[in-house]
Amino acid sequence: MRRLTVPLLAGGAAVALVALLAFGLLRQGGGGDVVGRPAPATPLPVLGRPGVQRSLAAFRGRVVVVNVFASWCGPCRAEAPILRSEQPRLQARGATVLGVTYNDNEDDATAFVRRHRLGFPILRDVDERFSRDLGVVGVPETFVVDRRGRVVAARRAPVDRAFIRRAVAEAL
Amino acid sequence: MRRAALLAVLALAGPAGATAATPRTSLPDVEDEVICVTCNVPLTIAESAEADRERAFIRRRIAAGDTKDEIKDALVAQYGERVLGTPAGDSGIDLAACLVPGLVVLGGLAGLAVALPRWRRRRTDGGSEPLAPALAPADARRLDEELARFDAETPG
């Protein structure tokens, strides 16, 4: 039995280490199907309003088009005009776009919002926790959340009007 | 007239020169202590659009006269603690990065706790384990008889 002590200990440690790493890998974000799951309710700072935080819970009862973007992202710049022009149409139907910045500082995000004249609320995902909960691995990614706070559609690429209109219609 | 003009120029330049902040750190000094939050590599070697934005942010803070610690605090306010490159501990891999070194140390200490007493016991015994097991009495008697016969037959 004594001869087996060290090999058993070493083997147990190796198994524990592999299990811990596997647990870590499984918990990492990375795509994944978030459709049908509750959207994260993490409170996030509101861009341009120091000290103020909001979460998706504040939008409960409305359909929300959550657009995760960054000012340094080329495709985000390309889809911004679509989101800007869709916002009034969504508001008329009781829905809204909600921008969430991704790995972006306040100055650059604010300049982006001004440059593209975005007229919807923007939250700042400072530590990437909100984005990770949605499985975001890059930007832009867009998620449609229904009135009960569940993700009903996801697009892990730049969006077009057809996607927004179809997903929102199904969510309403 | 010329003197008056010169005095006027100096008077205008004085306050303008005074408003420019004196740099209290440098970009290399800061960027090798923070990471690119999209690439997860030290900012000093990161090449991405987001890394460029972090560097631009740092340059703005340097121009404003911030110290290195103030700039790092500002980066944390913008990007979270992860910008410092330390594990946050709230994801699986971060948890592993925090726990594994401690577990390795504990395992080593446990191994020493098991092995050290054994080493000490061997040393106090002087390594006096017999090389071979003792003979049974019948075998010892037969060996003596054989040796006596050998002695008697061997000349001189």
Side-chain angles (χ1 to χ4, degrees):
Chain A
M1 188 59 194
R2 277 190 192 171
R3 281 190 210 167
L4 295 176
T5 304
V6 172
L8 278 175
L9 279 174
V15 167
L17 180 59
V18 170
L20 196 54
L21 289 175
F23 166 71
L25 286 171
L26 287 171
R27 277 202 61 187
Q28 289 279 25
D33 191 6
V34 297
V35 175
R37 289 179 10 206
T42 319
L44 299 176
V46 178
L47 182 68
R49 298 186 64 187
V52 178
Q53 292 199 328
R54 288 285 183 275
S55 74
L56 269 175
F59 298 88
R60 197 60 64 88
R62 302 169 72 183
V63 171
V64 183
V65 178
V66 179
N67 174 248
V68 183
F69 74 98
S71 63
W72 43 262
C73 152
C76 303
R77 290 193 285 269
E79 73 171 8
I82 295 174
L83 294 164
R84 181 187 67 233
S85 62
E86 286 296 304
Q87 174 65 359
R89 196 169 176 279
L90 290 171
Q91 280 182 310
R93 304 184 72 185
T96 185
V97 178
L98 173 68
V100 177
T101 67
Y102 176 86
N103 290 339
D104 217 351
N105 66 67
E106 272 181 280
D107 295 343
D108 292 340
T110 302
F112 181 93
V113 169
R114 284 192 186 136
R115 190 178 316 123
H116 295 284
R117 304 193 311 275
L118 302 181
F120 45 82
I122 309 283
L123 304 182
R124 295 186 52 236
D125 188 13
V126 174
D127 56 8
E128 212 181 305
R129 204 169 297 192
F130 179 91
S131 304
R132 253 194 309 216
D133 286 345
L134 285 171
V136 171
V137 294
V139 282
E141 294 191 15
T142 300
F143 307 85
V144 178
V145 180
D146 70 8
R147 292 188 169 115
R148 293 177 303 155
R150 304 191 81 81
V151 179
V152 295
R155 171 68 66 93
R156 300 192 186 276
V159 293
D160 53 24
R161 288 181 215 285
F163 167 80
I164 294 175
R165 294 182 183 183
R166 183 176 59 248
V168 170
E170 287 173 4
L172 281 171
Chain B
M1 180 65 180
R2 208 179 278 174
R3 190 179 294 174
L6 179 62
L7 283 172
V9 167
L10 286 174
L12 285 171
T19 54
T22 304
R24 296 159 77 181
T25 184
S26 64
L27 177 62
D29 197 24
V30 179
E31 70 176 345
D32 65 356
E33 293 186 23
V34 296
I35 66 166
C36 163
V37 291
T38 48
C39 344
N40 286 315
V41 298
L43 189 60
T44 191
I45 62 169
E47 294 182 3
S48 71
E50 194 278 324
D52 290 341
R53 293 300 180 88
E54 283 188 43
R55 281 188 276 265
F57 179 86
I58 293 170
R59 286 193 191 95
R60 287 198 294 273
R61 301 318 313 160
I62 292 172
D66 287 359
T67 62
K68 179 164 73 172
D69 286 342
E70 287 170 340
I71 293 172
K72 288 169 74 173
D73 288 344
L75 284 166
V76 169
Q78 296 297 325
Y79 299 102
E81 290 282 340
R82 65 208 167 108
V83 76
L84 300 179
T86 50
D90 61 348
S91 76
I93 291 292
D94 287 343
L95 202 59
C98 290
L99 289 180
V100 167
L103 289 174
V104 167
V105 168
L106 282 175
L109 288 173
L112 278 174
V114 168
L116 263 176
R118 288 188 194 171
W119 292 338
R120 278 206 197 126
R121 270 200 301 273
R122 281 195 202 147
R123 289 190 65 183
T124 54
D125 287 349
S128 62
E129 273 191 19
L131 294 175
L135 285 175
D139 293 334
R141 196 170 48 250
R142 195 164 64 241
L143 179 62
D144 288 340
E145 287 168 2
E146 290 286 337
L147 284 172
R149 200 176 307 128
F150 179 77
D151 286 341
E153 289 172 2
T154 306

